[in-house]
Amino acid sequence: MTSRPCVPPPFAAFNAGRDPATLRAGCGLRALLSAGVASLILALPAAAQRPVTQDHRAPTIHEIQDVRRLSPVEASEARPVELRGTVTYVDRAGTNLFLHDGREGIFAMANHEPVSLDSINPGAVVRLRGLSAMGKFSPYVELESVDVQGHGPMPRLSSASRAELLTGRHDSDWGEITGTLQSVQHWAGLAIGILRSEGDNVAFMIPELFGGERLDELIEARIRIQGAFSGSFSNRRQFGLRLFVPGMDWLEVLQPPPADPFDLPLGAAGQLFKFDPDVGVTGRVKVRGVVAAQVNSSSIAITDATGGVIVRGLGETEVSPGDVVEAVGQPRMHRLTPVIDSARLRVVGHTHLPPGAPVGLAALINGEWNGERVTLDAMVTSTGLTVRTDFPAISCVASNHQLTAILAFRGARLPDLPEGTRVRLTGTALSMENATDSDTDPALNLSPEPAVGSYLYLGSASDLIVLARPATV
């Protein structure tokens, strides 16, 4: 049974009894431990990596403000802490929460102690005990125990401006943000949304236990959310705004999403990230193309007359290479690869796979052909299964460069290709050779993402042609 908040939240009455069809799946409301999304999710104040050593001489701290005002050195001394306040956010699976005493808030997490939060709901008034610790930005509490003492309302909304929030001084405070929901991802029991607000993209998290599993249904809706402010933090203690929303009852739909998500003008895959002074990409886009390959269980490569793009977030839509589809979603650039994220997909026809552009392997390494369907000649060095997708794969070499060709379609079988076989390959290019963290959109993950290297995703058995087999002795 899904747990509900302990007290009537501000938007509960607004959400109660609404017809799901009216708000396109209702107002009641999971990437990321790969390089990019971990930095988004673990917007939580990251714990010190070394074990905590308690300072038994220090007096117990009873006020949140006194913990927050510890210096980094003092906070790292594991001073005893005993605090009372209202839980403004709880992630039971992650064993972390935000606590607010009516004046200030603080983050707490069980990193070393086996603490259960199964009885903790948003709005619970608790007494927690633990030790001070230093995160990347501010002090927090290493949880040792949490006792529920009652229930209470959420604190007053912060009156801080957006500029003040970005200083980090209001970290863990309770506030609200209004904007348009751009995209959603899911990881470890959390729904992670990207909200376009005041010209910025703001990430927020909602536990699926408290309704977040339905957040996808509100993409393109204008919403108001309340939660605990926090951020993503650099090693230099720089702050980027995030919001931790306790549940869907703290989300208000101000304007429902479009009745038909496909009611958008048709765009071109190859033009999504090219400069056009008359066109700006600020929201979702629609493209139509041929499915060129199945990249993984949640992503496909599609191509049209202008180029190719990776489409991520298939839901329950099953497609095969050759299907003509329309995809609606948020355009992003990820590790040199054009991607449409959080996509809605529908099949509108079927055709033959288009030919690939002839290229040399060396041209793939810089990533400029990522997402495009290309053709090249190579020599087989080995065959096997890919570690992450279980698709048959062929390791090749061409022009002194390594390439992994993946037979990315259902029912693919590993062909008999002895080492030294010369082949012609056609497929969707994905090169991670020169990709860096700066090329990564932290709100996106090609899950499972290829490791560093050059890849070619073949869409059918005819995408592999044997040119010559090695001579037998």
Side-chain angles (χ1 to χ4, degrees), residues 135-183:
K136 284 188 176 181
F137 182 78
S138 61
Y140 73 104
V141 177
E142 290 269 12
L143 280 174
E144 293 183 328
S145 66
V146 184
D147 300 315
V148 178
Q149 299 189 328
H151 309 295
M154 293 300 184
R156 289 183 300 177
L157 291 171
S158 170
S159 60
S161 66
R162 180 66 59 86
E164 290 172 322
L165 291 173
L166 288 172
T167 67
R169 291 196 299 270
H170 297 270
D171 175 43
S172 302
D173 209 349
W174 178 259
E176 72 177 19
I177 295 178
T178 298
T180 301
L181 182 59
Q182 299 279 287
S183 63

Side-chain angles (χ1 to χ4, degrees), residues 453-473:
S454 294
Y455 298 84
L456 203 62
Y457 287 81
L458 282 59
S460 70
S462 60
D463 282 343
L464 187 156
I465 299 174
V466 175
L467 300 177
R469 294 182 179 272
T472 59
V473 179

Side-chain angles (χ1 to χ4, degrees), residues 10-29 214 217-218 222 248-249 251-257:
F11 306 138
F14 179 90
N15 293 336
R18 301 297 288 261
D19 181 359
T22 302
L23 296 181
R24 291 206 16 89
C27 297
L29 255 209
R214 299 190 302 277
E217 299 159 355
L218 294 178
R222 183 164 176 78
M248 277 300 296
D249 286 321
L251 182 154
E252 179 183 7
V253 176
L254 304 176
Q255 181 178 334

Side-chain angles (χ1 to χ4, degrees), residues 39-309:
S39 66
L40 173 70
I41 275 293
L42 298 181
L44 308 174
Q49 297 301 308
R50 62 181 183 277
V52 173
T53 301
Q54 183 176 359
D55 184 352
H56 295 280
R57 298 169 298 175
T60 300
I61 303 174
H62 293 280
E63 300 291 338
I64 290 177
Q65 63 180 3
D66 294 334
V67 181
R68 289 177 55 85
R69 284 156 180 75
L70 293 175
S71 70
V73 172
E74 291 169 335
S76 300
E77 291 173 346
R79 301 188 177 193
V81 174
E82 185 175 324
L83 305 173
R84 187 177 188 276
T86 301
V87 174
T88 56
Y89 173 92
V90 58
D91 175 7
R92 293 178 180 175
T95 59
N96 62 76
L97 57 81
F98 284 87
L99 188 75
H100 205 286
D101 64 4
R103 294 174 298 179
E104 297 190 38
I106 198 166
F107 175 76
M109 184 174 189
N111 275 328
H112 304 294
E113 296 293 331
V115 178
S116 173
L117 301 182
D118 288 350
S119 63
I120 309 300
N121 288 324
V125 176
V126 303
R127 184 177 298 280
L128 64 79
R129 297 173 178 84
L131 302 173
S132 68
M134 187 62 204
K136 284 188 176 181
F137 182 78
S138 61
Y140 73 104
V141 177
E142 290 269 12
L143 280 174
E144 293 183 328
S145 66
V146 184
D147 300 315
V148 178
Q149 299 189 328
H151 309 295
M154 293 300 184
R156 289 183 300 177
L157 291 171
S158 170
S159 60
S161 66
R162 180 66 59 86
E164 290 172 322
L165 291 173
L166 288 172
T167 67
R169 291 196 299 270
H170 297 270
D171 175 43
S172 302
D173 209 349
W174 178 259
E176 72 177 19
I177 295 178
T178 298
T180 301
L181 182 59
Q182 299 279 287
S183 63
V184 178
Q185 291 198 37
H186 297 266
W187 174 75
L190 296 177
I192 306 103
I194 301 297
L195 193 71
R196 188 69 177 175
S197 175
E198 297 184 20
D200 296 322
N201 286 342
V202 179
F204 67 96
M205 292 73 177
I206 302 180
E208 292 182 336
L209 180 64
F210 299 112
E213 76 280 353
R214 299 190 302 277
L215 185 59
D216 306 67
E217 299 159 355
L218 294 178
I219 290 174
E220 283 297 294
R222 183 164 176 78
I223 61 176
R224 179 184 293 130
I225 51 177
Q226 294 184 354
F229 287 122
S230 189
S232 57
F233 310 97
S234 73
N235 290 329
R236 297 184 180 182
R237 300 180 67 198
Q238 295 166 312
F239 186 90
L241 186 63
R242 302 289 185 263
L243 195 67
F244 288 76
V245 180
M248 277 300 296
D249 286 321
W250 285 269
L251 182 154
E252 179 183 7
V253 176
L254 304 176
Q255 181 178 334
D260 183 0
F262 293 93
D263 189 19
L264 288 173
L266 188 63
Q271 301 298 320
L272 289 179
F273 296 96
K274 292 183 178 178
F275 174 73
D276 187 332
D278 299 320
V279 179
V281 178
T282 58
R284 289 163 74 78
V285 298
K286 181 175 76 171
V287 298
R288 180 187 297 128
V290 181
V291 177
Q294 181 91 34
V295 178
N296 54 56
S297 60
S298 63
S299 305
I300 58 173
I302 70 171
T303 183
D304 63 14
T306 67
V309 65

